[in-house]
Amino acid sequence: MASFGGFIRKSPSDRLRRFFSTRNVSVPDDFDWSSNGRGTALVKSVEELLAGLPERQQDAVKAELDLLASLADKDGMTAAEQVCAGQNIDIEGLAGIQEVLLFLAIDHPTEIDRVSVQASMLRRNGGRNWAAFQFDDDRKPWDLNSQIARDAFLTDTVAILDLPNHRKRVADWFETVRVHPITGEATTLTQATIYVEERAESELGFGPSATLERHVVPKVLEVGIACDVQARVVEISAKGGKKARDQYARAFSKHFAPHSEAPVQMPRRDVMLDILKQAPDFDIEPADGIERIEVSSLEFHATGGGYVRIEKRGEGESVYQFIERRFGHNSPLRAGGWQILAATVRIILTPTDGQRRRTLTVTLRLPNTTTLPNKTEKDRQFVFNLLERWGLLAAPHADFDVVEVA
C-alpha cells in the first residue's frame, strides 16, 4: 500500500486540517500546515503529531491515510468521479484527487469504500479476475431492483465461493456514471459489491501483556458486478477463474434476466482502429477457410461532438469506395477532426462439405469493446485470433488481483 507521505505533501492544508479535526486529533494552534518545496517538513510534523496519539487511534488514522494515498492516482480519480456522479455528490471545483478524497472522507465517509472498490475494478478491467458478458438485445427487462432477486443472487454467491451458508454476507447496491472517453456520452450503471465472510486465519500478534499470542483474524472476500442495462452487458470482477465467473453470470441471468438467453463472454481488449483509415489488406491463410472479408460499417466521432455512421455491404463496392465516391476530400477518412469510433467486420467463410456459406460478424468499438454474440466458443476464439493477427487488438492488460478487505 502507498505511503501517506506523498498524499500529505499534495493535500490542501485547509482540507487536511479539517480531516484531522474530524478524527479527534488535537493539533497545536501554531502547527505549520505549509508545504514548502517537497513538503518533507510537513510530513515529519504530521508523523510526530500522530506519534503522540494513543496507539489504537494512531493506527486507525494512519491506516485511513494509507488507504486514501492508495487511491490518489488516475484510476482513483475516475472511480471518484463515477461514484460521485451516481450519488449526486458535487466535486466540481475541488483541486485534484487529494482534495476529492479528503472531502469524501470528511463529508461522505461511506463513499470511500465504494471509490476503493470502483478503483479496484478499473485496475482489473480486462485482467484475469474480470470478465464481461453480453446478453442478446431482446428488449426483455432486467429486474435489478427486486429485493427477492438480490437476496437470491447473494445466496448463490456464497454457494459459488464454496463457503458454508452461515457465513455473514452483505451486498452494497449503488449507481455510478461512466463517461465514454471519446464521445463524452454518460451511461448510468447499476453496481453491487458483495462482501462475504471468508474462513478466518490464525496469525501471531502481540497481546495486552506484550507477549506473542495467536489471534483469529476474520477475512472478507468481495465480488463486484456492474450492469449496463442499455448495452445489455454485465461485468464480473471476482477471483476463482473462468468457471466461477461463468457461474456468477448464470446466477445473474437466472435471478435478474430469467426471460433472456444466457449471455456469452465478451473479450475485453483495447481496440486499435487507425489501420482502418484506409482499405486494409487483411492477412489470411489457406487454413483459415475464409472466402473474403469486408468492413461493412464505420462510425466516426468528430472533435466538438459530431457523429456519423456509414454502412455499405456487398461485393460490388466496398465501404471505402462508397465513402470516396460520395464525399471525396471531405470524407471523415481524409478530413481533419474525425476519429474512427467503431467498425464492423464481416468474415465470410468458405462453404465446406455442402454446407451453406457462414458469416461471422464482429463489431469493434473504442476504447475496448469487442462484440461477437450468438456464436460458439470455437467461433469466438477463431475471430479473436484473427483480430490479434490483424493488429486490431492491443496487448492484454496487466493482471491485478482482487483486493481483499481485512
Side-chain angles (χ1 to χ4, degrees):
M1 180 173 287
S3 168
F4 64 75
F7 183 84
I8 293 291
R9 288 194 294 269
K10 297 177 182 178
S11 296
S13 58
D14 290 345
R15 196 74 66 173
L16 197 59
R17 182 189 298 111
R18 188 178 171 205
F19 171 82
F20 282 115
S21 175
T22 58
R23 269 52 181 178
N24 297 316
V25 178
S26 179
V27 181
D29 293 338
D30 61 351
F31 189 88
D32 185 6
W33 291 99
S34 62
S35 179
N36 300 318
R38 297 181 61 188
T40 305
L42 174 60
V43 175
K44 184 176 180 181
S45 297
V46 168
E47 289 176 338
E48 291 174 353
L49 186 68
L50 297 179
L53 298 175
E55 291 182 0
R56 295 285 186 182
Q57 184 184 8
Q58 179 183 156
D59 289 344
V61 175
K62 283 185 175 180
E64 187 173 8
L65 286 171
D66 281 338
L67 172 62
L68 299 182
S70 73
L71 298 174
D73 59 13
K74 181 180 178 181
D75 287 329
M77 188 65 194
T78 301
E81 290 171 342
Q82 292 179 352
V83 170
C84 289
Q87 304 306 306
N88 295 316
I89 298 173
D90 185 11
I91 58 174
E92 288 294 326
L94 299 184
I97 181 60
Q98 288 78 19
E99 185 170 13
V100 168
L101 292 172
L102 286 170
F103 162 70
L104 293 176
I106 296 166
D107 296 324
H108 303 277
T110 58
E111 302 305 322
I112 285 293
D113 285 338
R114 289 176 173 174
V115 171
S116 179
V117 167
Q118 189 69 359
S120 182
M121 287 191 70
L122 290 170
R123 291 163 184 157
R124 296 195 302 269
N125 190 296
R128 67 186 177 191
N129 291 318
W130 177 97
F133 295 85
Q134 176 77 60
F135 283 79
D136 283 342
D137 188 13
D138 56 13
R139 309 295 180 183
K140 296 176 181 177
W142 289 358
D143 198 5
L144 294 176
N145 294 319
S146 167
Q147 191 59 51
I148 294 176
R150 290 182 176 186
D151 292 343
F153 183 74
L154 186 56
T155 299
D156 280 0
T157 297
V158 176
I160 293 169
L161 290 169
D162 194 24
L163 293 170
N165 196 47
H166 70 269
R167 296 292 184 187
K168 297 176 183 177
R169 80 292 300 266
V170 65
D172 178 27
W173 288 85
F174 57 100
E175 288 189 343
T176 62
V177 175
R178 184 178 295 177
V179 177
H180 194 283
I182 308 298
T183 66
E185 180 183 4
T187 302
T188 299
L189 277 69
T190 299
Q191 297 195 202
T193 305
I194 297 173
Y195 302 95
V196 180
E197 181 186 30
E198 194 185 7
R199 297 174 181 87
E201 294 182 0
S202 179
E203 296 180 358
L204 284 174
F206 284 99
S209 60
T211 58
L212 281 176
E213 298 177 358
R214 188 157 292 280
H215 300 273
V216 176
V217 180
K219 297 290 183 179
V220 173
L221 285 172
E222 64 179 55
V223 175
I225 66 170
C227 315
D228 185 340
V229 177
Q230 183 177 354
R232 312 286 291 182
V233 172
V234 174
E235 300 175 20
I236 308 289
S237 183
K239 280 186 174 180
K242 182 180 185 302
K243 179 180 178 181
R245 285 185 289 279
D246 286 345
Q247 289 177 308
Y248 290 124
R250 287 195 295 271
F252 178 93
S253 180
K254 178 176 68 174
H255 298 301
F256 297 111
H259 305 297
S260 297
E261 295 293 328
V264 296
Q265 184 170 342
M266 301 166 54
R268 178 58 63 98
R269 295 265 291 276
D270 288 345
V271 300
M272 304 170 68
L273 300 180
D274 282 350
I275 66 172
L276 298 181
K277 287 184 176 179
Q278 56 186 0
D281 183 15
F282 291 116
D283 175 25
I284 59 175
E285 302 171 357
D288 295 331
I290 295 175
E291 181 177 292
R292 73 177 191 277
I293 305 168
E294 66 178 26
V295 178
S296 60
S297 74
L298 292 169
E299 298 177 37
F300 301 90
H301 179 262
T303 304
Y307 169 83
V308 63
R309 171 186 169 88
I310 301 174
E311 183 172 4
K312 183 70 171 67
R313 292 169 55 175
E315 299 182 33
E317 186 180 42
S318 72
V319 68
Y320 293 94
Q321 292 168 331
F322 173 78
I323 292 174
E324 179 66 23
R325 176 170 60 83
R326 294 302 302 267
F327 300 101
H329 290 288
N330 295 321
S331 84
L333 289 170
R334 301 172 64 177
W338 290 93
Q339 179 180 8
I340 299 179
L341 177 66
T344 298
V345 179
R346 302 177 72 243
I347 303 167
I348 297 90
L349 303 179
T350 304
T352 57
D353 301 327
Q355 295 181 349
R356 296 172 56 186
R357 180 181 288 104
R358 289 201 307 136
T359 299
L360 303 178
T361 303
V362 58
T363 297
L364 307 170
R365 183 176 298 275
L366 292 179
N368 51 20
T369 300
T370 308
T371 60
L372 187 66
N374 301 322
K375 300 294 185 293
T376 66
E377 182 61 32
K378 180 180 179 181
D379 284 342
R380 286 193 292 273
Q381 191 58 53
F382 172 66
V383 173
F384 200 54
N385 291 338
L386 290 174
L387 297 176
E388 289 182 322
R389 183 198 303 173
W390 297 335
L392 291 170
L393 295 178
H397 289 197
D399 289 334
F400 291 90
D401 288 334
V402 173
V403 175
E404 295 182 5
V405 182

